[in-house]
Amino acid sequence: MSSGETNTMGDILATEADLLGIIKEYLKFQEFEETVDCFDKECKGKGKLISKPHVNTVRNSKVHSIQKDLLSSFDDGDPKVFFELWTENIPSEIKDTDTEAQSLEFYLHIHFTIYPLRRHPGRHDRAEFEERISRFKRYLETRGAALSQTAKFLPYYALPFVPDPTVHPSFKDLFQDSWIPQLKDKLEPFLSGTLKPSNTPRLLSLYVSSIGTQAMHQLHLHMIESDRRIASYVRKLHKIAELVDSLEATVSGKMISPEYLQSVFVRLFSSQMRQSAVQSTDFTRPGTASSMLRASIAPQKSREVPMLPSLDYEKLKKDLVQGPDRLKCLLLQALRWRLTRSLPGEQRDTVLQAFISNDLLERYSTKQKTLLQLMRSKNEIVRQYMARLINAFASLAEGRVYLSQIPVLLKPLMEALRTEEKDSLTRENVLVALQKLSLRRSQQTAMIAANLIDWLVDELQDSDCLSDYTLQYAAALLLNLCLRTKGKRKCAENARHVLKVLTDVLGHENHEVTNTSVDTIKYKIEVIICTLSPSQIQKAHPERECLIRPYVNGALYSILCIPSVRQEAKEMSVEEILHCYSKEENPDLNRQIGFIIKQLNSDLTEPDLDAEEVLQPQPREASGESLLTTEYLGIMTNLGKVKRKSTPLSQQSADEPLQRPVTPSSHRHFNVV
């Protein structure tokens, strides 16, 4: 036998011995003791060699290498390498259930986040630090959220929102020289105890590896099929774009107008593209429509919603009641900003839910001094900022539900209406808040019982002295109260006075202003020289129709169902007065007036919350979110909530007077649609 044949035979025998050794190893692992004995005897009888169990030095060296790389990346402050190794090699049952592992992982994330601040204090790369902060915030919102109820971890949830953690008293321990060595002393024994060589038999490892390879192959095939389908869809969409190009070419033949193309794109893509952008696009330029179609199917990046830090509401409420006036103002302002400046959707819902669940306005409190007592404060700014906060609550549906559950709310608000100066922001915010609350039936009943209708009628009697904003919300509030039977009867008690005021308001000189008026020219000049604030621009814009007529028409239509009011209206010649207000250029108004006259002759049986801040923080004085997160940290507020689906309301014709409660903002939206 040649030497080559001898070597081949030796390799076969060695492989066979290894294979038999693998089989014996698996049988012993499964504790088939009798089978192992029979297996040994049979192999010996056939002269088969069985390899001895291997001391798995390869596995041991691999574990040692992983541990070394983890510690090295810890020292180098490299979170990417560290957490890739951590995820791959620390078993899930340990990471997800072991409290020591979860605590260690939390502090490791802090270590990698502040590493640039420790390594290069005062001259660190700002962009790198922001990236690490963003990574830490994602961790807090996902895996780290489970530790938010543990007191010792709670202060660190504010870390992403503190401008300079190195000087903040809550984080001074993190920048002590002993902090990193202490953390490493915890990391090393944890890794040694967790990263142990596996005793899994080689046969089982080979099988698992084979299954994994097959699964990867299947996933690869699925991915190829998905790519093929995507390519097919893209080709079809490109054909649609080419068809649109062809349609555009017919514009020159007067067959399809650019206005038609624009209207199509507004309808199709208003949810994906800003309507103003679509409307301002020049559709007469060839290729425009098809380009917008292609752009509309481009994948859009989802925007990350940041998590707001938690607050200590008990401390907040205590300082709001007992603190100095300036602190009260700053806190009321900061809480309102947290609500109005949060992102609409999940973040704002979370903020509001935290306010409600912690009973910020103390609806069930039996204490003599509660937050609502701030409406009676001697300090005008405290009263104003409390009214603004209530108005912010009333702007949201869940906020109105919460306010409606406060039995003593209406009394201080009514007092403010009657005692505050006519042009004060406190009075204006109270009026707007009441108008929003009048969407709820229980609040309508309470307002009618408190004689609010009489106050509103007297207020509207002097409409020339009211701002458009106040006039609009006063008229809308009166409408909502007049829709109730009790409200109609209240108006019937002094029908002549009510009818006179409403018909006078219909003739209010500010109900519409043409674009060529002197006020328009003055307004445009003031904008050019920047003498108006944003809120003043919104309120003073003379081209914006005041929109009080729909509310006045609705109130008239509602109260005229009372026979005594109709009789009084006939004696006052209200029908002739209404005919005077009819204008040919406003057919919608004419139709509404027609409905009111028909009723007469029948036989029936929001941006202004943060406007004009009078309170400005002094140099180095904490305010806004900085004030809340520095001094009032508490339990987490980023808890999800189930949003109730609103019951769809039956639509009424735009021609008819309003017959259900509305707010000016919702009515504007309805008109735009």
Side-chain angles (χ1 to χ4, degrees), residues 585-599:
E585 65 271 17
N586 195 335
D588 290 341
L589 174 63
N590 294 342
R591 281 191 288 270
Q592 284 191 8
I593 289 178
F595 277 109
I596 297 171
I597 293 173
K598 184 178 179 181
Q599 178 84 309

Side-chain angles (χ1 to χ4, degrees), residues 484-498:
R484 295 287 302 279
T485 302
K486 291 181 179 179
K488 297 169 188 174
R489 290 173 180 167
K490 188 69 179 176
C491 292
E493 293 175 4
N494 195 359
R496 176 173 288 273
H497 179 52
V498 173

Side-chain angles (χ1 to χ4, degrees), residues 326 330 333 337 385 612-618 621 623:
R326 183 164 183 85
L330 286 167
Q333 181 188 59
W337 281 351
Y385 275 47
E612 301 177 18
E613 297 285 358
V614 297
L615 178 68
Q616 298 296 331
Q618 296 173 354
E621 182 181 33
S623 67

Side-chain angles (χ1 to χ4, degrees), residues 376-482:
R376 298 187 174 103
S377 171
K378 294 180 180 179
N379 187 302
E380 195 276 332
I381 301 179
V382 172
R383 298 196 305 274
Q384 179 196 137
Y385 275 47
M386 186 64 205
R388 286 176 179 241
L389 181 60
I390 294 172
N391 190 9
F393 267 94
S395 300
L396 303 169
E398 292 295 329
R400 291 192 289 273
V401 173
Y402 175 65
L403 292 176
S404 299
Q405 296 169 351
I406 305 177
V408 297
L409 174 68
L410 200 58
K411 186 176 180 181
L413 296 185
M414 291 294 296
E415 288 176 2
L417 278 184
R418 293 187 168 101
T419 58
E420 293 288 339
E421 294 293 331
K422 212 173 184 96
D423 58 348
S424 77
L425 285 172
T426 304
R427 186 173 184 262
E428 184 177 277
N429 275 273
V430 168
L431 175 64
V432 174
L434 287 170
Q435 198 285 323
K436 294 168 184 174
L437 283 171
S438 70
L439 294 173
R440 300 193 61 81
R441 188 177 180 85
S442 62
Q443 298 303 296
Q444 293 170 358
T445 303
M447 292 177 196
I448 294 169
N451 291 323
L452 184 55
I453 288 180
D454 292 342
W455 183 89
L456 287 168
V457 172
D458 291 341
E459 189 75 1
L460 291 171
Q461 186 176 11
D462 196 14
S463 59
D464 289 335
C465 298
L466 302 177
S467 67
D468 283 353
Y469 189 67
T470 301
L471 183 61
Q472 188 177 4
Y473 275 90
L477 175 54
L478 180 61
L479 163 66
N480 290 354
L481 300 183
C482 287

Side-chain angles (χ1 to χ4, degrees), residues 177-196:
D177 293 339
S178 59
W179 192 78
I180 289 183
Q182 289 173 357
L183 182 59
K184 191 171 183 180
D185 288 344
K186 294 179 182 178
L187 176 62
E188 287 177 332
F190 174 81
L191 294 178
S192 300
T194 306
L195 298 174
K196 294 179 179 178

Side-chain angles (χ1 to χ4, degrees), residues 85 154 175 181 246 267 276 412-413 485 513 624-625 652 656 663:
L85 293 170
L154 200 53
F175 298 95
S246 301
R267 289 199 305 274
S276 59
L413 296 185
T485 302
V513 184
E625 198 64 23
Q652 69 177 67
E656 299 179 40
T663 62

Side-chain angles (χ1 to χ4, degrees), residues 204-216:
L204 186 57
S205 299
L206 288 170
Y207 176 75
V208 171
S209 175
S210 172
I211 293 296
T213 303
Q214 292 178 15
M216 288 295 294

